[in-house]
Structures are given as structure tokens and as C-alpha cells.
Amino acid sequence: MPFIRQFLKILVSSLAGLYLLCTVANAAACTRVIQVPMAPTGFSVFVRQGKPEGVYPDMLRQIATASGCKMTFSVVPRARLEMLFETGQADVLIPAIRTSRRDRHGIFVPLLYTRATLIGMRQQGVTPPASLDAVLKNPALQIGLVRGFDYGDAYMNWMQSLQQQNRVQLESDPVSVARLMKAGSVQYTMMAPYIFAGSVAQDARVADMAASMQYLPVPEVDWTDSGIYLSLHSLNETDRNHLKKALEEAARSGVVWKSFQQYYGPDVLNAGSKPR
């Protein structure tokens, strides 16, 4: 598909600097194969021929090649990914924002700043809600969310309140939420804008929604770090420190943000992403 070819060409050029940076570091290889399950999250992770591709898979493959670490990639639903990480069956969790729950299971390495926003379709004459509280106070609004997404305490408390009111539909991925929105079953979702925009752009069933979407920051959810967790349960200290160093070099290089800039439009980036 044209967008994938364009995206991969961008990645080849923007990640070349990271490859050289890691090569110069010349660190020792990891002591075993690193297990990396991933869930589709827009263009940061997408699936092509059963394999994860995108900004983060390519970044990790470059690090693996340069450092001598071997990594095994797999594709799983987001909720299963969280479970695998918490039970020590996954060595990394990516992409992820930093939360107190996840801190119990891993060491966090930030790569950029992000925030979740309310996302809905523009409707003439309709004023969108300005906060999560406004959504709760409007019983006519139905919400679609992705099972396993966690944007902090305010988000989780909001989701639980919606569940108590039977006003939320939990789906396995962003495209499923977009399809509900297109059908009119839900009016809003909440996630990082780049995840939703990238997911919609890749699926012909919902791609025509892109021009009508609006991204609505809310006061309850602020900017936060987005990056990768390295497991405290499954990784030994040597491998964890080795990967942490390589990822910190990637963050300093700005390679992730450059990749996002070259694919996503300013409306999506300004609403929910910014460099560190």
C-alpha cells in the first residue's frame, strides 16, 4: 500500500542516525532473546503480513542489530499485552504512558510527551463536552474505549463511572471503536490522538472519518511521559541496564519524534504529542 511504502522510506532515513549512534556505543549483547509482544497502536505499531511494523518496532530492531541483542516480536491484543507484562511473560511494554500500576512491574524509559484527548466527529450545531465530568453528566453520550488502555487515575476512574452507568463499550483495538463511532453506537472515545488517527488511516472501512474528527483536550488529563517499560520480573539487571542505555540514547537523538512529525499532521500532533 502507498502509505506503508512512504512510511517505511521515512523510517529508513530517520533511523539511520540511531543505528550509527548505537553502533558507536558498541555494547555487549543481551544474555538471552528479548520477548517483545506488541499491540497495534496507529503508525507507532501496525501489523503487516502478521508482523509488527512502525516507529517502535523499527526502533527496537535497529537497537537489536546494533547492540547484538536478539528480539522476538509478536502481535497480541492490548489487554493481553498488559497481562503478559504484569505476569513477567513479556520483557517490555511499548508504547506506554507512565502509571503507578505499571511502575510496580517495570523500569520506565520516556521517549516523548503525550496526552489522551476526547475524540469525536464534528457535528454542526453541537457543542462537544469540555471535560470528562461533562461527559458523565450527559447520559445521552455513549463512549467507546480500548480494553487495556490506561491513561492514569482520572481516566480509569472515569471509565469505571461510565461502566457503572452502562455507558461504555470496551473494544480490543482503536479501529473497532472507530467503527462503533461511524455507526453511531458511540459518540466519543478517549486515547492519544496519534493512535486513533493512525489506526483510522490504515483501515478502508473507517478511513473516510479522518477529515471529520476532532481532538478535545480535557482538564482532568494532563501531558505525561510516553515510552517503554522494561520488566522487573523477567529481565535480569544486566539486560535491563543494557536496553535502558540504548533506549535513552534513542530518546536523546529525537528519532521517534522525527518519525511522528513526518507522518502525522500538525492537528494530531499538537493535540496529543510533543518532544521531550
Side-chain angles (χ1 to χ4, degrees):
M1 296 174 66
F3 73 84
I4 292 179
R5 288 196 296 269
Q6 176 191 1
F7 188 58
L8 293 178
K9 286 175 65 178
I10 290 169
L11 286 170
V12 168
S13 60
S14 63
L15 287 168
L18 174 59
Y19 178 84
L20 293 176
L21 182 62
C22 292
T23 301
V24 171
N26 195 29
C30 296
T31 62
R32 64 166 176 81
V33 176
I34 306 301
Q35 301 297 318
V36 187
M38 290 183 165
T41 46
F43 286 110
S44 58
V45 180
F46 63 90
V47 180
R48 186 176 64 158
Q49 297 180 345
K51 294 173 51 181
E53 305 284 354
V55 175
Y56 293 124
D58 273 47
M59 179 189 73
L60 291 176
R61 288 185 180 111
Q62 290 283 351
I63 289 175
T65 300
S67 67
C69 285
K70 293 182 179 180
M71 299 186 185
T72 297
F73 296 83
S74 58
V75 180
V76 299
R78 183 68 193 197
R80 178 166 173 76
L81 175 57
E82 295 275 350
M83 182 275 292
L84 291 173
F85 183 72
E86 290 180 3
T87 57
Q89 299 175 73
D91 294 326
V92 304
L93 178 67
I94 185 171
I97 70 161
R98 186 168 193 175
T99 68
S100 57
R101 177 175 60 85
R102 290 169 178 162
D103 281 345
R104 296 196 294 269
H105 305 290
I107 299 296
F108 183 72
V109 182
L111 298 173
L112 70 161
Y113 290 114
T114 191
R115 64 178 169 186
T117 71
L118 280 175
I119 303 171
M121 299 182 71
R122 293 186 181 88
Q123 299 181 59
Q124 189 172 2
V126 175
T127 301
S131 67
L132 299 185
D133 187 58
V135 173
L136 288 176
K137 290 178 178 178
N138 187 344
L141 297 179
Q142 295 292 316
I143 310 300
L145 301 174
V146 175
R147 189 179 292 105
F149 278 12
D150 184 347
Y151 292 103
D153 292 344
Y155 171 89
M156 297 301 289
N157 292 336
W158 177 68
M159 180 181 69
Q160 290 167 7
S161 296
L162 289 170
Q163 288 176 311
Q164 291 169 3
Q165 298 176 25
N166 294 316
R167 292 173 51 203
V168 62
Q169 295 192 50
L170 295 177
E171 298 293 329
S172 61
D173 56 72
V175 169
S176 297
V177 172
R179 294 183 69 188
L180 289 176
M181 191 179 296
K182 186 173 183 177
S185 300
V186 304
Q187 287 72 53
Y188 292 95
T189 184
M190 189 171 186
M191 66 185 75
Y194 73 86
I195 293 176
F196 191 80
S199 300
V200 165
Q202 295 177 71
D203 195 296
R205 295 169 296 181
V206 293
D208 59 340
M209 296 173 60
S212 301
M213 301 315 303
Q214 55 182 349
Y215 301 94
L216 307 163
V218 292
E220 295 95 335
V221 179
D222 203 353
W223 291 99
T224 189
D225 288 315
S226 177
I228 181 171
Y229 272 96
L230 303 174
S231 178
L232 286 170
H233 304 312
S234 63
L235 291 171
N236 62 43
E237 186 175 3
T238 298
D239 288 347
R240 192 165 52 244
N241 290 340
H242 176 60
L243 291 168
K244 182 174 181 289
K245 179 179 179 181
L247 288 161
E248 287 171 344
E249 290 171 345
R252 283 193 293 270
S253 76
V255 66
V256 175
W257 179 245
K258 291 173 186 175
S259 295
F260 274 71
Q261 278 184 307
Q262 292 190 49
Y263 196 87
Y264 291 103
D267 289 346
V268 173
L269 290 178
N270 291 342
S273 305
K274 61 182 179 180
R276 288 188 57 77

